[in-house]
Amino acid sequence: MATLLHLDSSLSPLEGSASRAVTAAFRAEWEAQHPNGTVVYRDLAADPLPHLDGPAAVAGFVNPADHTEEQRAAFALREELTSELEQADAVLIGAPMYNFTIASTLKAWLDHVIVMGRTSGAEQTTVSGKPTVVVASRGGGYGPGTPRESFEFVTTYLGKALGEGLGLDVRFIVPELTLARSNPAMAGLIDLADASKAKAHEDAVAAAKELAGRFDV
């Protein structure tokens, strides 16, 4: 049975979060396809991870068999998070834009699971090719040709960190202009925002159905 690793990092609750709404649509379709499957869920905003500290970082470069007691204790969380990623069949990440980039809570998760010689830094990592869907919502427009294209550090960063760093097979779903209905200055963009929202939900359901079809029920 398939296992989905689902991460959300939005600071807002479901009813106020574009990224959570889209990841929820993906997850609902995934669970419909795999009713007996497993979903490992981490809400990184509600239950944030500690930042990577020195002992845990150093332990990542030492053979586990040679860990000191301090290193073993420091590495325990990294081992738990990394094993969750390794054991998942697919990964779903909600990654809204905050100040042009990802939430610090998601960066903390990445710092824990990027383990050189294991999940990263090798031609073939322990997570190479794992299908990963990232819902990269953003309040404005940052696409190609827009005035703020150069300010977009969510898909550009995660494409490198997840795709090239971890070797995951990453696809992005990007609901944008999400502030159009709450920001009077963006009133003229409401139709575009609604269209982007609808497409993101459609793409999420389609991606869930397609990815779920790769695994036995």
Side-chain angles (χ1 to χ4, degrees), residues 70-133:
E70 179 189 32
Q71 289 171 339
R72 187 174 298 109
F75 196 73
L77 177 60
R78 298 191 72 187
E79 177 63 39
E80 178 184 351
L81 297 170
T82 301
S83 294
E84 286 178 354
L85 176 60
E86 291 172 331
Q87 292 165 15
D89 294 294
V91 182
L92 172 66
I93 301 174
M97 176 186 283
Y98 292 116
N99 299 316
F100 312 121
T101 189
I102 63 172
S104 63
T105 53
L106 180 55
K107 178 60 165 61
W109 178 81
L110 283 165
D111 288 340
H112 283 290
V113 302
I114 295 175
V115 182
M116 297 300 293
R118 180 173 170 180
T119 61
S120 187
E123 185 174 335
Q124 183 73 21
T125 75
T126 57
V127 295
S128 290
K130 195 180 297 291
T132 301
V133 173

Side-chain angles (χ1 to χ4, degrees), residues 167-182:
L168 303 175
D169 180 10
V170 183
R171 69 177 78 178
F172 290 97
I173 297 174
V174 185
E176 61 179 3
L177 305 172
T178 62
L179 294 177
R181 287 189 171 275
S182 60

Side-chain angles (χ1 to χ4, degrees), residues 117-208:
R118 180 173 170 180
T119 61
S120 187
E123 185 174 335
Q124 183 73 21
T125 75
T126 57
V127 295
S128 290
K130 195 180 297 291
T132 301
V133 173
V134 178
V135 179
S137 59
R138 51 209 192 192
Y142 296 82
T146 61
R148 289 204 163 187
E149 177 183 0
S150 65
F151 288 76
E152 201 286 314
F153 298 105
V154 175
T155 63
T156 49
Y157 170 67
L158 290 178
K160 297 295 185 182
L162 297 174
E164 296 188 26
L166 291 172
L168 303 175
D169 180 10
V170 183
R171 69 177 78 178
F172 290 97
I173 297 174
V174 185
E176 61 179 3
L177 305 172
T178 62
L179 294 177
R181 287 189 171 275
S182 60
N183 185 347
M186 297 175 66
L189 300 173
I190 288 177
D191 288 345
L192 289 175
D194 289 347
S196 179
K197 176 182 177 180
K199 185 177 188 304
H201 281 261
E202 292 170 3
D203 289 348
V205 171

Side-chain angles (χ1 to χ4, degrees), residues 32-73:
Q33 300 292 324
H34 289 289
N36 298 315
T38 300
V39 176
V40 176
Y41 180 60
R42 285 189 177 269
D43 187 331
L44 300 176
D47 189 16
L49 300 166
H51 290 296
L52 186 66
D53 61 16
V58 170
F61 293 93
V62 178
N63 187 313
D66 298 324
H67 278 173
T68 65
E69 285 301 319
E70 179 189 32
Q71 289 171 339
R72 187 174 298 109

